[in-house]
Amino acid sequence: MQDQEIIELLQQVKTIALVGASDNPSRPSYGVMAYLLAQEAIAIGARALWLQIGVINEQAAELAQQAGLRVVMDRCPKIDIPRLGLER
């Protein structure tokens, strides 16, 4: 996702679901948690799914995008919000 898209997303939502249960890709929870949280994000009607730095799961992203969610992968809001000038 490009910076402008992240800016628009962060300006439109009040709550985001962050995914990052494990930063170790060799652990099964790394991929499973992203996929399960994508399903949960869809179920609760979230408008976006944010996967933390180091978490890239194309299957979860595709599932979320097919349900109409915007997807951010491998990014950190604590870094991006100030970097993009969106601090409140």
Side-chain angles (χ1 to χ4, degrees):
M1 185 173 278
Q2 301 297 317
D3 283 353
Q4 187 57 41
E5 294 173 294
I6 292 173
I7 289 169
E8 292 170 8
L9 172 66
L10 290 171
Q11 288 175 334
Q12 294 172 1
V13 300
K14 292 182 180 182
T15 304
I16 57 176
L18 295 177
V19 178
S22 173
D23 62 358
N24 184 344
S26 66
R27 291 187 179 161
S29 64
Y30 179 86
V32 172
M33 287 302 295
Y35 186 77
L36 291 175
L37 286 170
Q39 290 177 323
E40 289 178 21
I42 293 165
I44 65 167
R47 297 187 335 204
L49 177 67
W50 190 298
L51 305 179
Q52 268 297 55
I53 288 178
V55 181
I56 299 171
N57 186 305
E58 297 297 339
Q59 186 179 12
E62 183 176 336
L63 181 70
Q65 288 169 338
Q66 287 176 355
L69 279 70
R70 297 173 75 181
V71 176
V72 181
M73 285 194 293
D74 196 26
R75 304 292 289 262
C76 176
K78 186 174 182 180
I79 294 169
D80 284 334
I81 289 171
R83 183 181 66 79
L84 297 170
L86 297 173
E87 290 179 293
R88 294 182 185 190

